[in-house]
């Protein structure tokens, strides 16, 4: 397969690249519109980026819920879905879509497996980097199933070095080439090996979860327990994704408190909607992060007994 060369830029909903630094026509993949939980939200983060790119923005493909999606329904550059419609972004990127958007110079993507796989698939004209990569992206992004061996191998490396731009670039390059260069696995596997001690610390930390009965309004009846953990003292020493998953093994809802944030998660198909419960404008309904100053309100919103709120959130 002959690949078109693209500039590559990494992003998150809260931290977008400067529009003036991006070359030519730009496509944005798997980057959610900023929610109210982010400082400034959509109006101060996402909207200025869209406006500054102007006609150079060729496409924005994403699968995270957001109230501002409606504003762009009539703009063909924006292909926006909910998490329920598409569990991962790569499955939205088809040869037909890539052809319709046309040639781009720069690909902006999220920094997780879902985003990097989206970038690689775009570079390949909408063709999967390897057979089953769409399924792996969905499994990893929803945590609703086990990814295949290749997906797990790449995901462990990315979780070990989530902010290593060099590694992110290698992963995209490897995927875009269809995994054709075996030598690229060396750097990826070195990073993956670094995840083992982080995983061990995370599992040990999970033993400190406390469980409580809760009664969140408008949630399914089986969403009735909370696993709570204040991990502030262990900041930077654990994997939050794994920690939240381990919490969900103990209760229907997991909550982890860290330095500045409170992360709340439930299983992908649980029916939980934390966006509605906490009054957030966008993100994943079953996985949200809110400022730590909202901890008391979040616990009360989940229906935790007031005595327990005062004890664990003080």
């Amino acid at each position: 397969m002959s690949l078109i060369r693209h500039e590559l830029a990494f992003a998150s909903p809260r931290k977008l690249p400067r529009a003036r630094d991006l070359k030519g026509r730009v496509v944005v993949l798997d980057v959610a519109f900023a929610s109210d939980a982010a400082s400034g939200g959509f109006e101060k983060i996402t909207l200025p980026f869209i406006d500054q790119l102007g006609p150079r923005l060729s496409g924005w493909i994403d699968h995270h819920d957001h109230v501002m999606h409606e504003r762009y329904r009539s703009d063909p550059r924006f292909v926006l879905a909910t998490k329920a419609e598409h569990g991962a972004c790569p499955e939205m990127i088809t040869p037909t879509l890539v052809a319709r958007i046309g040639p781009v110079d720069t690909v902006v993507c999220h920094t997780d497996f879902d985003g990097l796989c989206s970038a690689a698939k775009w570079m390949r004209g909408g063709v999967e980097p390897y057979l089953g990569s769409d399924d792996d992206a969905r499994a990893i992004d929803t945590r609703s199933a086990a990814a295949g061996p290749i997906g797990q191998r790449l995901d462990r490396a990315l979780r070990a070095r989530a902010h290593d731009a060099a590694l992110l670039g290698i992963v995209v390059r490897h995927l875009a080439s269809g995994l054709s260069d075996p030598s690229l696995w060396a750097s990826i596997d070195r990073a993956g090996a670094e995840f083992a001690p982080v995983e061990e610390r995370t599992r040990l930390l999970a033993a400190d979860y406390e469980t409580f009965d809760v009664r969140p309004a408008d949630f399914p009846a089986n969403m009735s327990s909370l696993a709570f953990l204040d991990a502030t003292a262990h900041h930077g020493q654990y994997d939050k994704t794994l920690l939240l998953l381990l919490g969900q093994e103990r209760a229907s809802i997991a909550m982890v408190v860290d330095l500045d944030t409170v992360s709340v998660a439930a299983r992908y198909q649980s029916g939980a909607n934390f966006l509605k419960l906490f009054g957030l404008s966008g993100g994943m309904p079953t996985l949200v992060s809110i400022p730590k100053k909202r901890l008391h309100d979040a616990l009360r919103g989940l229906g935790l007994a007031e005595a327990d709120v005062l004890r664990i959130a003080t």
Side-chain angles (χ1 to χ4, degrees):
M1 174 179 292
S2 177
L3 299 178
I4 300 173
R5 301 292 295 180
H6 299 84
E7 298 285 330
L8 189 61
F10 303 115
S12 71
R14 300 184 185 192
K15 190 172 182 180
L16 297 169
R18 294 182 298 186
R20 65 176 180 269
D21 293 338
L22 303 177
K23 176 183 175 182
R25 301 182 80 238
V26 177
V27 66
V28 180
L29 308 174
D30 192 44
V31 179
F33 288 0
S35 76
D36 295 335
S39 178
F42 174 85
E43 295 294 334
K44 292 186 178 179
I45 300 175
T46 314
L47 183 58
F49 181 68
I50 293 172
D51 289 344
Q52 289 160 19
L53 281 173
R56 293 198 298 121
L57 178 60
S58 302
W60 193 307
I61 294 85
D62 184 54
H63 67 123
H64 297 92
D65 302 49
H66 202 285
V67 296
M68 298 308 297
H69 280 188
E70 192 59 35
R71 178 186 292 190
Y72 297 96
R73 292 296 180 197
S74 61
D75 189 328
R77 299 176 300 170
F78 290 83
V79 181
L80 305 170
T82 65
K83 192 75 175 178
E85 292 170 326
H86 289 286
C89 190
E91 64 194 45
M92 300 174 66
I93 299 170
T94 64
T96 300
L97 176 62
V98 175
R100 179 176 71 76
I101 297 294
V104 300
D105 302 289
T106 301
V107 175
V108 177
C109 67
H110 195 205
T111 56
D112 59 1
F113 179 86
D114 188 25
L116 302 185
C117 195
S118 297
K121 194 177 181 187
W122 187 277
M123 294 173 179
R124 293 171 58 82
V127 176
E128 282 187 296
Y130 61 89
L131 186 63
S133 63
D134 282 3
D135 292 337
D136 278 355
R138 191 182 314 108
I140 290 169
D141 216 49
T142 64
R143 302 294 169 182
S144 58
I150 295 174
Q152 291 186 35
R153 192 174 177 184
L154 292 165
D155 184 49
R156 289 180 68 84
L158 295 171
R159 288 163 73 181
R161 295 193 201 167
H163 305 292
D164 185 339
L167 176 67
L168 303 183
I170 289 172
V171 170
V172 174
R173 176 184 167 192
H174 199 25
L175 287 168
S177 72
L179 309 178
S180 63
D181 184 353
S183 69
L184 294 179
W185 280 116
S187 296
I188 294 168
D189 289 340
R190 278 197 298 272
E194 296 172 8
F195 187 67
V198 176
E199 181 176 13
E200 182 179 0
R201 288 194 296 269
T202 303
R203 292 187 180 280
L204 289 172
L205 181 57
D208 293 335
Y209 267 114
E210 285 188 83
T211 57
F212 302 90
D213 293 331
V214 292
R215 301 175 304 280
D218 300 324
F219 273 40
N222 63 343
M223 302 296 293
S224 58
S225 57
L226 170 71
F228 175 88
L229 177 60
D230 189 336
T232 304
H234 305 274
H235 177 72
Q237 301 174 19
Y238 65 91
D239 180 77
K240 186 176 290 187
T241 297
L242 176 58
L243 191 57
L244 288 167
L245 288 171
L246 293 171
Q248 291 167 60
E249 293 178 1
R250 293 161 171 76
S252 51
I253 301 169
M255 176 181 285
V256 172
V257 180
D258 206 331
L259 284 178
D260 303 311
T261 61
V262 177
S263 298
V264 190
R267 295 187 183 278
Y268 172 59
Q269 296 178 321
S270 63
N273 190 330
F274 298 121
L275 300 178
K276 181 179 179 180
L277 183 66
F278 299 143
L280 302 175
S281 59
M284 289 177 57
T286 55
L287 173 61
V288 302
S289 291
I290 58 177
K292 195 171 185 176
K293 63 184 179 183
R294 294 193 59 186
L295 176 58
H296 286 80
D297 291 341
L299 290 170
R300 292 186 178 109
L302 289 171
L304 186 67
E306 185 65 17
D308 289 324
V309 173
L310 296 175
R311 178 176 68 82
I312 68 177
T314 300

